[in-house]
Amino acid sequence: MRVIVTKNYEEMSKKVAQLIAAQLLLKPNSVLGLATGSTPIGAYKNLIDMHKALELDFSKAYSINLDEYVGLSEESDQSYRYFMNENLFNHININKDNTYVPNGLELDEKKACSNYDAILEKLGGIDIQLLGIGHNGHIGFNEPSDSFSVGTNCVALAQSTIDANARFFSSIDEVPRKAYTMGMAGIMQAKTVVIAASGQAKADIVKQAIYGKVSPEVPASILQLHANCIFVLDEAAASKL
Ligand code: PGA
């Protein structure tokens, strides 16, 4: 594991974008594992800038996202498909047919999950996986539990996640209670994992993920076992290390 500490959110975002850009330059048809939330927005802005200013080329790339709320369509401005279109895909030259997000409208949970695992298998796995980390240590929507999930699964969101994500909805009642998330197999089989965190509020969980016991109670702790995992932190998120 490598830990890179940057000065602030802007520098963290630049570093994350550089790692993804380097992957894409070396292998234009890379499979990019992408994440939503506040943390990656700055990295996506940097990638858009690199696309525009430096002609960073996404035309041969594939992407597969970590998760999606159950019940939200891609037109819903809270869906993660909508987020990806708005924050990245609409501004770069990726072929949207080559971008994958779990289908929130597929209410047959088994089918939704097995379809997504089949997509991941067809893509041949992920070259570089970007992750954020929840305050409770979740990665994707893999919430603290008594065992690590393996394949794509349907999760009941933890109350702390519902509370944290309520800021994106007009009321907490609108936050979906369930989500589809890629499991640990997809994440751990990625050739490179980049996990980003910013701000004091993440300092405790970052410390637990890096130095704590590997445990499904802190899902991100599994990354201690990944052969090529890079934590990119700002000073505040790294302040307890
Ligand atoms: P955040 O979410 O980037 O909005 O802090 C991270 C996560 O919940 O994985």
Side-chain angles (χ1 to χ4, degrees):
M1 174 192 298
R2 257 204 300 158
V3 179
I4 299 174
V5 181
T6 61
K7 202 163 163 345
N8 51 31
Y9 179 78
E10 285 67 37
E11 295 300 314
M12 179 207 77
S13 299
K14 202 187 284 177
K15 187 74 217 172
V16 169
Q18 285 168 349
L19 291 167
I20 295 172
Q23 169 67 41
L24 206 52
L25 286 174
L26 292 174
K27 185 181 173 197
N29 63 344
S30 288
V31 178
L32 310 175
L34 299 178
T36 53
S38 321
T39 308
I41 291 176
Y44 294 155
K45 285 204 176 102
N46 275 272
L47 286 172
I48 293 166
D49 289 346
M50 286 187 221
H51 168 65
K52 294 197 168 136
L54 308 171
E55 298 183 355
L56 182 64
D57 182 18
F58 291 82
S59 65
K60 299 188 179 70
Y62 296 82
S63 76
I64 182 154
N65 263 77
L66 287 165
D67 43 18
E68 180 61 284
Y69 290 116
V70 176
L72 296 193
S73 76
E74 61 179 79
E75 282 82 36
S76 160
D77 58 6
Q78 302 303 342
S79 74
Y80 285 167
R81 163 58 77 178
Y82 188 95
F83 175 103
M84 290 310 301
N85 288 342
E86 287 292 305
N87 287 292
L88 185 62
F89 299 153
N90 288 348
H91 311 285
I92 57 175
N93 65 336
I94 198 162
N95 177 352
K96 277 207 194 142
D97 291 343
N98 294 339
T99 67
Y100 299 95
V101 179
N103 180 2
L105 289 186
E106 175 55 76
L107 299 181
D108 179 338
E109 295 175 8
K110 264 199 171 152
K111 195 166 158 199
C113 295
S114 60
N115 284 350
Y116 211 56
D117 283 334
I119 290 168
L120 191 53
E121 198 177 323
K122 196 170 130 222
L123 290 174
I126 294 164
D127 288 299
I128 187 165
Q129 175 66 56
L130 174 59
L131 298 174
I133 180 168
H135 295 101
N136 61 3
H138 74 201
I139 48 178
F141 270 135
N142 294 287
E143 301 284 25
S145 165
D146 49 15
S147 62
F148 287 112
S149 64
V150 179
T152 301
N153 59 103
C154 182
V155 288
L157 300 184
Q159 189 58 45
S160 62
T161 301
I162 294 168
D163 294 343
N165 290 4
R167 68 190 196 278
F168 299 115
F169 292 80
S170 41
S171 87
I172 195 163
D173 295 336
E174 284 180 28
V175 184
R177 269 33 186 183
K178 287 204 280 188
Y180 295 128
T181 183
M182 189 187 289
M184 293 304 186
I187 294 171
M188 288 299 281
Q189 285 165 13
K191 294 194 183 96
T192 301
V193 173
V194 174
I195 176 163
S198 159
Q200 190 68 36
K202 296 281 173 73
D204 279 320
I205 197 65
V206 162
K207 182 180 175 191
Q208 278 189 61
I210 294 177
Y211 290 120
K213 189 169 91 164
V214 174
S215 156
E217 290 296 325
V218 180
S221 64
I222 198 172
L223 298 172
Q224 292 176 28
L225 308 178
H226 193 280
N228 187 22
C229 173
I230 308 166
F231 275 76
V232 185
L233 309 172
D234 67 7
E235 280 178 3
S239 60
K240 301 256 170 91
L241 298 183

